[in-house]
Amino acid sequence: MTTTARSLAGPARAPVWCGLELCWLDQPAERLRVGRVAAGAVRQVAAYALDDRPLSALPCRTGWLVATPSRVVHLRRDGRQSPTPWPAADLLTCDPGGRLWLATPDALLRADLSGRLRVAATGPTLALTWHPSATTLYRATPTGIDAHPYDLANGLLGAPTHLSDDVATALAVDHTGQLWAAVPNGVRCVGPTCLTIPITEPTGCCFTTTTLLVTTASGLHPCDTGTGGHPTTRFAE
């Protein structure tokens, strides 16, 4: 399991793969960057300037929802930005059913069918992902990584099982259901093997069909893990 030579240079964090394209954040430049993945290499195809520092981006049909320190904006593919009803958040994602989730400094929120936000868990959430079966939600917090039984139909969490004391900046699950976590010294396979891909201070990670992509302050790096994953679920506007 090694980092390939075909990396994309430049500050990067929070990569998200939606099956057709990859997006990631360039915080110093206040930009969302978009690329294509082919043969293990990433090629940037577009960049969008934002009015504030981006914290998280979630693909939707007409572009992206982007969380900033002051608000969540709808960024369209033509570059236009418009406000949304969602509060400021550190993290945006969707569960496998397309339900919107937002992490604020104080709580993890989910949107119900009417769009109303409800508290799913208290405290900060650093990263969030689901098992491919949609029966387990993995949550990274300042005290480690927990696994919650998940009721997809209702968006409800069960009592957590503590998996690791690692403080993770990102989580990703591969095709087999194996959980990977971006921790200070690399990207770790959370499980009995505790295998770690050594990368200095990763800022995010996600799987494409065949590759684990890891972001750092110096670039975006494809890594050979011998497995791939499923694309993120787009938000249905």
Side-chain angles (χ1 to χ4, degrees):
M1 299 184 181
T2 58
T3 302
T4 74
R6 291 173 289 181
S7 300
L8 193 68
R13 70 177 304 272
V16 178
W17 181 64
C18 68
L20 299 175
E21 61 190 8
L22 176 79
C23 70
W24 66 96
L25 305 180
D26 180 344
Q27 286 187 335
E30 295 185 352
R31 278 170 167 73
L32 181 142
R33 301 189 182 276
V34 181
R36 302 282 181 175
V37 182
V42 179
R43 177 174 63 91
Q44 180 178 306
V45 297
Y48 296 87
L50 295 158
D51 297 331
D52 199 353
R53 181 169 58 97
L55 301 176
S56 179
L58 176 65
C60 59
R61 181 177 55 84
T62 57
W64 301 267
L65 295 182
V66 181
T68 74
S70 60
R71 58 181 181 164
V72 174
V73 300
H74 181 195
L75 173 64
R76 298 182 183 275
R77 289 187 176 274
D78 62 5
R80 289 183 298 163
Q81 300 175 51
S82 57
T84 72
W86 316 118
D90 299 323
L91 174 67
L92 301 172
T93 191
C94 277
D95 70 15
R99 183 183 286 106
L100 179 65
W101 290 73
L102 304 89
T104 73
D106 301 316
L108 177 62
L109 310 175
R110 72 173 188 277
D112 62 20
L113 293 178
S114 69
R116 180 180 178 182
L117 295 180
R118 300 184 182 276
V119 176
T122 58
T125 298
L126 306 179
L128 204 66
T129 194
W130 281 262
H131 189 276
S133 67
T135 58
T136 303
L137 178 148
Y138 299 107
R139 181 187 181 209
T141 74
T143 59
I145 302 170
D146 296 331
H148 295 259
Y150 188 62
D151 176 356
L152 179 63
N154 298 296
L156 300 178
L157 308 184
T161 298
H162 191 67
L163 300 180
S164 170
D165 291 334
D166 288 317
V167 178
T169 57
L171 299 173
V173 177
D174 64 25
H175 285 310
T176 68
Q178 180 62 60
L179 179 66
W180 298 73
V183 297
N185 65 333
V187 180
R188 179 169 299 170
C189 182
V190 180
T193 61
C194 291
L195 180 66
T196 301
I197 301 171
I199 294 178
T200 302
E201 296 183 352
T203 58
C205 63
C206 72
F207 278 101
T208 69
T209 303
T210 59
T211 307
L212 176 67
L213 298 175
V214 182
T215 54
T216 70
S218 64
L220 195 153
H221 314 282
C223 298
D224 177 18
T225 62
T227 186
H230 299 282
T232 191
T233 302
R234 291 175 179 264
F235 174 61
E237 300 165 74

